[in-house]
Amino acid sequence: MEMETRPGRVWAEIDLGAVRHNVRALLHRAAGARLMAVVKADAYGHGALPVARAALEAGADSLAVATLAEGVELREGGIRAPVLVFGDLLPEQLREAGRMRLDVTVHSLAGARYMSSLPGLRVHLKVNTGMNRWGVEPEQVGEVYRLLGGRLAGVYTHLSCADWDSGFTLKQLLRFERVLGSHPFGNVLIHAANSAGTLWYTRARYDCVRPGGALYGLHPRGDAGDPADEGLRPALSLKSYVAGKRLLAAGERVSYGATFRAVRPMWVATVPVGYADGYRRMLSGKGVALIRGRRRCLLGRVTMDACVFEADEEVEVGDEVVLLGEQGEERIGAEELGRLAGTINYEVATGLNPRRVERRYVSGV
Ligand SMILES: Cc1ncc(COP(=O)(O)O)c(C=O)c1O
């Protein structure tokens, strides 16, 4: 690889063509329902504004974020589509949300009382159907409806295990439908399906689906499953380069703690990616990278700024290193990397440090 064209020590390549493809694939699966693209956490580490624009271009008609600041970033970036904030906001934040034309979520009776005093605020009512994290209890929905009535733009719930437990998911949907049937909500947007719900539960689709991970080609099972099996394309690659190469003699050791010991003479490559970039220290002794189209084991500990991988004589300083993504015939998925690091694909993507890992957008097809 030409030194001059390298963006930095380590960079993320984000394929917006894959995001557009995934939006279209999910809309197809949703069979007539609309799509709210979840772009919280900086679009799961992919960059909120470019992803939001790509998702809207491909057919999403609204967006969702977790925090007020994430919503404000979209508005200041020129996004005019409806944006729902999932999180619980403080009174001053609710007023700011209204000024920025962001839709908010009511999670409690106290919240509903306060929101009823803010004219013009558009509210989605979240119902707790068994996740027991956020949302109004089913018994209190009537009172919230009395307070907010015509102010409600949507009613929703969140599925806690649509990736593995169909019995519990069905129970949640039945609780949700009981609430929907008990109040005259009228013409509001009904939504429940996260990625797993969108892919696997026809019943969960209602008016609108609300996928996050699947937009980025992340499999909803987290540390298992192949996105390709669901017709999804991973959007994120993580790349670096061979910054140094050396020949170890048998018995020499590698990195902090000297945990790896060469049993025979071997070539190793130093790659400038470390845990401060979001390449997790849990990958020590377990990680894998692609160099010259072959899988190479990570030797010893991940340090703050660099790692050492096995190499061979052909590997050259400047060679591209793929830490996540494809090279030649090989691929390292976020699911695999998550499994190796004892976590899930979502955390692999959201955990990259944008102050160190430059993002490069490619448009794909
Ligand atoms: C309320 C809500 N809806 C939808 C999503 C999207 O979930 P997923 O990324 O699994 O599709 C999330 C993410 O956690 C969420 O909190």
Side-chain angles (χ1 to χ4, degrees):
M1 174 181 217
E2 292 292 318
M3 297 287 260
E4 308 79 63
T5 63
R6 196 172 58 230
R9 301 166 46 244
V10 52
W11 62 98
E13 236 169 62
I14 293 143
D15 180 354
L16 295 175
V19 172
R20 285 191 287 265
H21 164 89
N22 295 333
V23 168
R24 288 191 290 264
L26 291 161
L27 274 167
H28 184 71
R29 290 285 268 267
R34 291 147 71 170
L35 190 142
M36 180 185 289
V38 180
V39 296
K40 64 188 172 129
D42 207 11
Y44 291 43
H46 295 65
L49 277 168
V51 167
R53 290 187 195 114
L56 291 168
E57 257 168 51
D61 62 8
S62 62
L63 303 165
V65 294
T67 68
L68 176 65
E70 289 172 353
V72 169
E73 182 192 352
L74 294 176
R75 285 286 179 258
E76 289 179 344
I79 301 285
R80 303 165 99 100
V83 176
L84 171 63
V85 182
F86 290 148
D88 188 36
L89 302 183
L90 298 168
E92 180 43 42
Q93 293 180 315
L94 287 170
R95 284 194 291 275
E96 174 68 1
R99 285 193 288 274
M100 300 303 287
R101 291 173 297 101
L102 299 169
D103 297 359
V104 300
T105 298
V106 60
H107 291 283
S108 66
L109 253 182
R113 283 194 197 102
Y114 187 74
M115 288 175 194
S116 66
S117 70
L118 300 177
L121 191 66
R122 279 164 52 92
V123 182
H124 288 231
L125 191 171
K126 184 170 191 177
V127 185
N128 174 26
T129 55
M131 173 101 173
N132 288 315
R133 179 183 62 165
W134 298 112
V136 176
E137 303 309 326
E139 313 77 65
Q140 295 187 323
V141 167
E143 184 61 8
V144 170
Y145 175 72
R146 197 186 57 74
L147 287 162
L148 293 174
R151 188 77 56 84
L152 288 179
V155 179
Y156 74 103
T157 192
H158 192 42
L159 304 174
S160 61
C161 28
D163 54 329
W164 69 279
D165 187 340
S166 56
F168 191 74
T169 303
L170 193 60
K171 205 176 271 178
Q172 283 197 273
L173 295 174
L174 289 172
R175 282 183 190 154
F176 186 48
E177 289 168 15
R178 206 168 306 129
V179 168
L180 294 175
S182 307
H183 310 281
F185 289 115
N187 191 23
V188 299
L189 196 71
I190 307 295
H191 48 114
N194 52 6
S195 296
T198 308
L199 292 171
W200 300 317
Y201 294 86
T202 316
R203 186 170 188 149
R205 290 170 194 156
Y206 304 107
D207 298 331
C208 172
V209 295
R210 217 176 53 225
L215 298 176
Y216 312 100
L218 299 170
H219 195 284
R221 295 219 166 90
D223 63 353
D226 184 346
D229 292 345
E230 303 300 333
L232 301 171
R233 276 174 37 197
L236 177 68
S237 302
L238 183 66
K239 297 186 177 175
S240 183
Y241 71 103
V242 174
K245 175 188 169 186
R246 72 192 76 234
L247 181 61
L248 301 185
E252 288 199 77
R253 293 169 184 262
V254 172
S255 191
Y256 288 126
T259 54
F260 176 82
R261 182 171 173 275
V263 294
R264 53 177 170 75
M266 67 184 292
W267 287 98
V268 298
T270 301
V271 179
V273 60
Y275 59 77
D277 301 298
Y279 193 75
R280 307 180 80 80
R281 190 171 177 278
M282 283 289 283
L283 291 165
S284 297
K286 300 185 208 154
V288 64
L290 307 176
I291 308 175
R292 297 205 163 217
R294 282 180 46 197
R295 289 181 161 251
R296 318 282 178 160
C297 295
L298 198 163
L299 309 176
R301 292 200 181 143
V302 176
T303 72
M304 191 181 290
D305 314 303
C307 293
V308 177
F309 287 88
E310 77 177 312
D312 55 44
E313 201 164 357
E314 283 71 54
V315 168
E316 284 180 19
V317 168
D319 278 355
E320 178 190 76
V321 177
V322 172
L323 301 151
L324 176 64
E326 286 180 0
Q327 194 186 58
E329 304 287 292
E330 288 286 348
R331 184 173 93 85
I332 299 170
E335 293 72 26
E336 177 182 358
L337 211 56
R339 193 162 57 245
L340 291 171
T343 181
I344 57 167
N345 51 5
Y346 287 24
E347 199 180 31
V348 167
T350 56
L352 296 181
N353 179 355
R355 290 168 66 101
R356 281 187 153 217
V357 180
E358 191 183 320
R359 291 184 183 136
R360 282 208 148 178
Y361 290 94
V362 295
S363 220
V365 279

